[in-house]
Amino acid sequence: MGEEYADRETPETKMEREMDTERIAQALDGLSEVQRRRILMLAGGMSVNEIARKEGVHHSVVSETISAARKNLKSFS
């Protein structure tokens, strides 16, 4: 009873979350400004076509940028 209101975060899970956040920030810092912006828009729920329309470029340009960003992010881990 009342478990839905309980804080399930332990010091260990809080530390893990903070470390994950730091690792993500470091990985994003390794991307170019364009790669970072586009990968964050994609992560925020925008499609490649929506990003392309917003930035006034062809969708293939956005796809290439995101592919390069993903490759850089994979090499970070």
Side-chain angles (χ1 to χ4, degrees), residues 28-46:
L28 289 172
D29 283 345
L31 301 178
S32 73
E33 181 180 331
V34 172
Q35 288 174 331
R36 183 172 39 256
R37 181 178 67 243
R38 290 179 180 167
I39 204 86
L40 289 173
M41 284 192 275
L42 186 71
M46 291 180 75

Side-chain angles (χ1 to χ4, degrees), residues 1-66:
M1 192 155 155
E3 287 182 24
E4 65 271 15
Y5 301 108
D7 182 5
R8 297 174 193 254
E9 187 169 62
T10 65
E12 292 81 12
T13 59
K14 182 179 179 183
M15 187 172 72
E16 281 181 26
R17 184 177 43 81
E18 290 171 355
M19 289 172 58
D20 286 346
T21 301
E22 185 177 324
R23 286 183 56 229
I24 291 168
Q26 288 175 352
L28 289 172
D29 283 345
L31 301 178
S32 73
E33 181 180 331
V34 172
Q35 288 174 331
R36 183 172 39 256
R37 181 178 67 243
R38 290 179 180 167
I39 204 86
L40 289 173
M41 284 192 275
L42 186 71
M46 291 180 75
S47 71
V48 169
N49 287 331
E50 290 170 326
I51 296 168
R53 276 193 299 274
K54 179 179 175 118
E55 296 199 344
V57 297
H58 195 269
H59 67 87
S60 65
V61 174
V62 174
S63 290
E64 289 172 13
T65 304
I66 289 172

